[in-house]
Amino acid sequence: MMMVGPDGVGKTTLLATMYHELSNLEASQSGFELVASQDTHHDLQEAYQKLTTIVTQPTFTPTGPLLKGTAGLIERQFEMVFKGKKELDLVFCDIAGGIIRAAEGNRDFDEFKTRLKQAVVIINVIDGSALVEGNDLLSAKKNNPRQIEKLLQPILTNPQNHLLLFVITKCEAWLKNETTQRHLERAFEKQYEIMLKWLKHVENVVAVLIPVKTLGCVEFTRIDSHGDQQEMVFIRKPNLRFCPENTDQPLRYALAFALLQHNQNRSQWNQFVRWLFNEDVAFQKALTEFAQGRSRTFKIYGNSSLIEVTK
Amino acid sequence: MAVKSVALLGAAVHTRDVKPGQDYDWYVKAGDMQLFDKIEEIYRIALRDVEGDVPKLAVLIDGHRIGFLISDLPSPRLDHGNRVIHDTLYLEFETQYQKTVLHAAAVLLLCSKKIYPIYEQQFAHYAETLFDNSQTTQLILETIKLPIVDKQPNFRLAPLKPEKLALFSDLENQNRSARYLIHFERRNNSCFSFVSTGRVSLDRCQQIAEKCDECVLLTLSSDVPSEVNLKKGRFSSFRDLIQFKSLTL
């Protein structure tokens, strides 16, 4: 699983909040459990704790720093466990956003491309404030859809099935009602028009648009200009508490897709043994239950049958 | 705070600039650096993007050079996302300064969590000075002031043996490592590395061990309970298990 997006869009913040939400789930609900390696667990919990300190920052003033920027390519190790038994290994790759702009021959860029080729799920993190409030130039600078498109097209045309998640962060201000939410969606579809058109013609890719509240208490207020530089300014709202919303959803979609692909790609012998011991039915039932935790309110692009889980 | 001036041969700074896209990279590479490629590899494997509240530094001795790297130095600059920019500073010296450099690493291991930010600030100042002059490949600093040991390590703790070791980075092992560095004697011109880092897996420690003749690695990884001999190789545990099984059968 690969996170992509330029620097500063909130990839690491999203990963920390996603993991926190899903690690709280009890295994008994569906039988599936996401288990991080001890070091990954510590790293992500530590990052989450740092994010919660947002509530100690003064209100109505631009928010201060919470997490460090990523400098390279970080692998986060997880296991998906079913009824106490390891079902599959999962690696989440978080990157320094600058890598996507690096040139061929750059070691980090080459490593990133290798990992991207292996990825089944790709999470493109998008800065919602730049999408809605920025002009074309600022939005392109912050989210760089053309570069992402250039990187993803050759990867997504290989025969493997892929799930592409467009996760919009920093969009608390537009998730208040249906009108503003539609405004956010339209801004996304305008900026990513070429990629969405292209998705209509490929059979092996499904994309889901998921706007999330990673902090819940911080909102975009204005754009400040410093010379030729423009900066998005966010402030902490006094009446809101730290409360991520929908951050479990990208991970739910990603895990359900990975499990579905894993189940479909089992060897014939393995399928036979599982049929013999009735394991296949139990697994499919649990997967259906797990997949039901996905919200159906998100917009889907491409081949939607790829994310359908049936009993 | 007692310091000693040491003549510098080369220096490098890994940092980022403020604007979007100007992400982390080596913005400064100045002077004569023979060990840079090796130390960069150590940095990529064991120090970059590593979490954990411990000193993050590396020392490499090879040939006639000694390299000293200190990472995670908070700079006074913020990036476009309002995040504190962290610097990594690499300094290279002649081996005649081996003792001073190893003592500086020991000081950083022995100092309290309250004092450590003062040293961090001093190194960050050097890094920022170099970054401000990043347009030139000439080395703008001739000497660097390194801290001198003013606190003795605990001699009651078991000393480290010269081999390839990964240790859990608790106070005791930090103390043992500091003592080892203070009394370090290089054997047969061998390549030696010391790394103090956060949560870096045993597999990554093994990768560092394979690059030198002797090494000591302090890590916060849960893979390392207290002390692991890295000389045995990556698959030794598996081999040990097979041998044990065949003996018991």
Side-chain angles (χ1 to χ4, degrees):
Chain A
M1 301 199 185
M2 191 81 187
M3 314 268 287
V4 295
D7 47 321
V9 292
K11 296 182 289 297
T12 310
T13 302
L14 176 69
L15 186 56
T17 50
M18 271 192 326
Y19 170 67
H20 182 83
E21 292 302 311
L22 221 59
S23 63
N24 283 342
L25 281 185
E26 291 206 9
S28 56
Q29 282 179 310
S30 66
F32 289 110
E33 199 181 353
L34 179 70
V35 182
S37 76
Q38 266 193 305
D39 292 342
T40 293
H41 174 77
H42 279 131
D43 283 353
L44 295 179
Q45 283 298 94
E46 211 171 271
Y48 186 83
Q49 286 309 317
K50 282 179 191 164
L51 292 173
T52 62
T53 63
I54 185 72
V55 290
T56 62
Q57 292 195 10
T59 53
F60 293 123
T61 52
T63 49
L66 291 167
L67 298 183
K68 271 194 299 187
T70 305
L73 200 144
I74 314 175
E75 281 183 9
R76 305 286 186 198
Q77 310 281 343
F78 297 90
E79 279 177 6
M80 202 62 191
V81 173
F82 179 55
K83 291 189 174 171
K85 204 175 119 195
K86 184 170 94 171
E87 196 61 45
L88 77 157
D89 284 307
L90 292 167
V91 180
F92 254 91
C93 288
D94 187 10
I95 60 158
I99 291 177
I100 66 159
R101 291 176 167 113
E104 296 277 349
N106 174 299
R107 274 183 74 183
D108 289 323
F109 182 67
D110 294 345
E111 204 180 322
F112 161 69
K113 276 184 57 173
T114 308
R115 294 302 159 101
L116 194 59
K117 273 182 200 159
Q118 297 163 343
V120 174
V121 179
I122 298 164
I123 304 177
N124 179 193
V125 185
I126 299 164
D127 180 330
S129 65
L131 207 58
V132 181
E133 295 292 328
N135 55 28
D136 288 353
L137 194 71
L138 182 63
S139 184
K141 206 171 178 181
K142 287 272 180 189
N143 291 316
N144 215 338
R146 295 295 92 80
Q147 182 61 16
I148 301 283
E149 197 181 288
K150 208 172 120 188
L151 286 166
L152 296 190
Q153 273 202 3
I155 307 293
L156 298 177
T157 40
N158 72 31
Q160 191 182 28
N161 288 338
H162 287 95
L163 170 66
L164 174 59
L165 298 173
F166 295 109
V167 180
I168 307 185
T169 57
K170 304 186 184 189
C171 60
E172 277 85 345
W174 298 278
L175 296 182
K176 288 176 182 167
N177 57 54
E178 272 185 37
T179 315
T180 50
Q181 204 161 332
R182 264 204 304 275
H183 186 47
L184 178 71
E185 201 175 288
R186 275 200 301 271
F188 162 76
E189 287 177 348
K190 186 175 164 248
Q191 288 281 328
Y192 288 76
E193 194 184 359
I194 300 172
M195 207 186 306
L196 296 180
K197 264 188 189 164
W198 176 79
L199 279 174
K200 282 182 187 166
H201 306 289
V202 282
E203 281 297 305
N204 62 323
V205 186
V206 57
V208 186
L209 176 68
I210 309 179
V212 295
K213 291 182 181 178
T214 47
L215 301 176
C217 55
V218 168
E219 276 186 17
F220 167 82
T221 50
R222 61 181 191 274
I223 298 174
D224 276 355
S225 293
H226 307 284
D228 63 335
Q229 284 303 302
Q230 287 187 309
E231 189 194 328
M232 323 297 290
V233 181
F234 295 84
I235 59 158
R236 181 166 87 81
K237 290 276 185 171
N239 51 340
L240 301 173
R241 58 194 179 91
F242 173 76
C243 184
E245 243 177 68
N246 274 347
T247 48
D248 63 317
Q249 287 299 321
L251 202 50
R252 277 186 183 278
Y253 270 87
L255 295 178
F257 186 79
L259 285 167
L260 193 61
Q261 295 301 310
H262 167 69
N263 202 30
Q264 284 170 358
N265 296 329
R266 289 185 202 272
S267 67
Q268 283 191 324
W269 171 250
N270 189 259
Q271 281 180 29
F272 171 70
V273 173
R274 290 172 67 80
W275 169 80
L276 206 62
F277 293 98
N278 214 22
E279 284 177 7
D280 56 342
V281 177
F283 185 90
Q284 193 63 29
K285 190 172 172 277
L287 182 55
T288 311
E289 261 178 57
F290 181 78
Q292 276 166 356
R294 297 176 302 181
S295 166
R296 289 291 182 178
T297 56
F298 304 124
K299 196 148 182 192
I300 294 168
Y301 307 89
N303 185 357
S304 61
S305 69
L306 293 175
I307 50 171
E308 276 167 24
V309 182
T310 46
K311 277 184 191 172
Chain B
M1 223 167 267
V3 290
K4 188 176 175 182
S5 282
V6 185
L8 189 63
L9 294 173
V13 180
H14 190 271
T15 188
R16 67 159 295 151
D17 215 334
V18 178
K19 293 179 188 173
Q22 294 175 326
D23 217 331
Y24 282 95
D25 205 345
W26 292 100
Y27 280 71
V28 179
K29 283 182 194 173
D32 172 25
M33 295 187 292
Q34 291 177 9
L35 304 185
F36 179 76
D37 289 348
K38 280 189 175 178
I39 204 95
E40 194 205 5
E41 197 58 24
I42 291 174
Y43 172 65
R44 288 172 69 93
I45 296 170
L47 289 152
R48 190 173 70 168
D49 293 321
V50 172
E51 299 298 328
D53 188 18
V54 285
K56 296 193 185 94
L57 57 99
V59 178
L60 175 68
I61 307 173
D62 199 8
H64 298 288
R65 295 292 178 97
I66 178 163
F68 174 81
L69 182 141
I70 178 160
S71 73
D72 242 358
L73 304 166
S75 81
R77 293 177 293 128
L78 295 176
D79 70 7
H80 66 101
N82 220 10
R83 297 171 296 188
V84 175
I85 295 173
H86 286 74
D87 296 336
T88 293
L89 176 67
Y90 171 64
L91 306 165
E92 193 166 313
F93 313 92
E94 289 277 8
T95 39
Q96 57 169 305
Y97 300 112
Q98 178 184 303
K99 201 172 174 181
T100 315
V101 177
L102 291 175
H103 278 214
V107 170
L108 295 167
L109 291 177
L110 290 173
C111 75
S112 66
K113 281 193 174 168
K114 213 172 160 186
I115 301 291
Y116 189 75
I118 301 172
Y119 289 117
E120 267 188 331
Q121 222 174 10
Q122 287 172 358
F123 285 112
H125 176 71
Y126 282 127
E128 287 296 296
T129 308
L130 289 162
F131 176 70
D132 289 343
N133 294 277
S134 56
Q135 304 305 323
T136 172
T137 51
Q138 271 190 323
L139 190 58
I140 57 143
L141 297 170
E142 286 181 1
T143 58
I144 288 278
K145 285 178 182 160
L146 294 176
I148 300 170
V149 175
D150 57 355
K151 186 179 165 188
Q152 285 301 313
N154 187 345
F155 285 95
R156 276 176 294 183
L157 297 171
L160 297 180
K161 286 177 190 156
E163 49 194 347
K164 295 183 178 186
L165 287 175
L167 304 161
F168 186 76
S169 188
D170 52 18
L171 279 177
E172 192 172 300
N173 282 333
Q174 285 173 11
N175 222 297
R176 291 170 76 201
S177 302
R179 182 178 164 189
Y180 187 73
L181 294 176
I182 291 167
H183 300 285
F184 178 78
E185 272 179 40
R186 196 174 172 200
R187 295 177 301 168
N188 310 322
N189 225 16
S190 60
C191 173
F192 168 77
S193 71
F194 168 78
V195 179
S196 166
T197 186
R199 284 183 282 275
V200 166
S201 66
L202 194 56
D203 183 56
R204 285 185 171 236
C205 292
Q206 194 70 55
Q207 288 178 44
I208 302 284
E210 281 163 13
K211 293 183 190 305
C212 19
D213 305 313
E214 201 186 310
C215 69
V216 176
L217 295 133
L218 283 168
T219 170
L220 279 175
S221 174
S222 49
D223 294 354
V224 179
S226 174
E227 190 172 323
V228 176
N229 188 340
L230 299 168
K231 227 170 199 168
K232 288 182 172 178
R234 239 181 256 200
F235 303 105
S236 63
S237 317
F238 180 62
R239 275 203 306 267
D240 289 350
L241 191 73
I242 290 175
Q243 277 167 6
F244 175 73
K245 284 236 164 150
S246 56
L247 278 172
T248 48
L249 284 171

